[in-house]
């Protein structure tokens, strides 16, 4: 592999090299979120409009935000989890293109990020791996193996605070959802979009007396396999732990 692969990526994804996109060719766009089996176990999340989360000044949230790796043993409520999911990927509207308008920006409103969750401590929710179904604001069970927390931690280069978090967010790309419009340049946008999502998590956590630690150090092949992703068309981009502050 070329030692200059990063430079090559930036060069080859310049606009001057872009070919006609599948959107320009008139090909149908991919679904707005990943499909799932009809018999999947789904958990209703509390509607966001009914959740009472304390207000927090935006400047205070920005000034207070920092990466936190040590958490209390206090569990999140399911209302708090609902709030965090809404804040990071909530669907405000489905417009006629069709496209989703969400609580975070995305290139061309493609919103090619899927949210997986390693849940360790959320009241009323069994520990395990879940996926957020954004269009219906639900959780879907993926893997309730009691050792999944350790496996995810190991895939993130044995960062053990993952096992002590209340929830670890795992953001994965559905690459074609972005590439359909932007071709190879879409890979740039996927990473930008993941950054938007994670920053919303950092700021939202301040309102529920919690802290976040973003993680980009992971074994791609290992974590993709654990999540059930092929690593080519769908792959993990970014991870972040979250837990209650220690008093």
């Amino acid at each position: 592999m070329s030692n200059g692969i990063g430079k090559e990526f930036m060069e080859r994804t310049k606009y001057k090299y872009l070919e006609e996109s599948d959107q320009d060719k008139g090909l149908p766009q991919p679904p707005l979120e990943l499909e799932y089996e009809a018999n999947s176990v789904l958990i209703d999340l509390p509607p966001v409009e009914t959740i009472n989360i304390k207000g927090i000044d935006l400047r205070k949230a920005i000034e207070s935000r920092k990466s936190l790796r040590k958490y209390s043993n206090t569990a999140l409520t399911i209302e708090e989890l609902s709030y965090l999911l809404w804040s990071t990927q909530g669907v405000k509207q489905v417009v006629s293109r069709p496209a989703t308008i969400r609580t975070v920006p995305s290139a061309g409103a493609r919103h090619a990020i899927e949210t997986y969750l390693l849940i360790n401590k959320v009241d009323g929710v069994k520990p395990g791996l879940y996926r957020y179904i954004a269009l219906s604001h639900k959780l879907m069970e993926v893997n309730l193996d009691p050792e999944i927390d350790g496996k995810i931690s190991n895939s993130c280069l044995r960062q053990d605070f993952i096992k002590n978090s209340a929830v670890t967010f795992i953001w994965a790309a559905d690459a074609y959802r972005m590439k359909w419009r932007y071709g190879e340049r879409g890979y740039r946008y996927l990473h930008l979009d993941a950054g938007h999502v994670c920053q919303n998590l950092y700021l939202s956590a301040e309102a529920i007396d919690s802290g976040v630690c973003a993680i980009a150090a992971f074994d791609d092949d290992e974590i993709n396999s654990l999540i059930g992703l092929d690593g080519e068309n769908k792959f993990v981009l970014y991870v972040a732990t979250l837990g209650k502050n220690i008093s």
Side-chain angles (χ1 to χ4, degrees), residues 79-230:
E79 288 80 9
E80 289 172 329
L81 179 61
S82 178
Y83 157 74
L84 294 172
L85 287 166
W86 169 256
S87 298
T88 53
Q89 275 292 281
V91 176
K92 298 188 290 185
Q93 185 182 5
V94 179
V95 295
S96 60
R97 273 187 266 174
T100 54
I101 307 301
R102 304 200 188 196
T103 53
V104 289
S106 174
R110 297 312 301 148
H111 291 292
I113 304 290
E114 295 284 340
T115 301
Y116 291 82
L117 301 158
L118 173 65
I119 292 179
N120 294 322
K121 294 187 286 284
V122 175
D123 289 337
V125 181
K126 297 175 184 176
L129 182 67
Y130 294 80
R131 177 158 71 93
Y132 177 48
I133 310 300
L135 285 174
S136 56
H137 196 56
K138 298 176 187 291
L139 284 180
M140 184 185 78
E141 289 184 6
V142 175
N143 186 343
L144 300 187
D145 176 357
E147 297 181 356
I148 191 63
D149 60 338
K151 293 176 180 178
I152 296 291
S153 175
N154 287 342
S155 75
C156 293
L157 311 189
R158 295 173 177 79
Q159 299 187 71
D160 285 342
F161 60 93
I162 288 174
K163 294 187 287 187
N164 298 323
S165 69
V167 179
T168 293
F169 286 70
I170 304 168
W171 295 296
D174 179 2
Y176 184 62
R177 202 184 308 164
M178 186 67 76
K179 289 178 63 182
W180 173 79
R181 171 168 288 183
Y182 295 112
E184 295 302 301
R185 191 173 176 87
Y187 284 102
R188 292 197 192 195
Y189 302 155
L190 290 170
H191 291 87
L192 294 173
D193 281 8
H196 302 323
V197 173
C198 190
Q199 181 70 346
N200 264 30
L201 183 67
Y202 266 101
L203 298 178
S204 301
E206 292 297 316
I208 58 167
D209 302 315
S210 297
V212 173
C213 183
I215 296 172
F218 48 80
D219 183 311
D220 297 78
D221 295 334
E222 188 175 346
I223 196 168
N224 286 329
S225 177
L226 287 169
I227 301 299
L229 306 175
D230 63 19

Side-chain angles (χ1 to χ4, degrees), residues 46-57:
V48 176
E49 58 269 21
T50 68
I51 297 173
N52 184 21
I53 297 294
K54 70 177 182 180
I56 185 169
D57 179 75

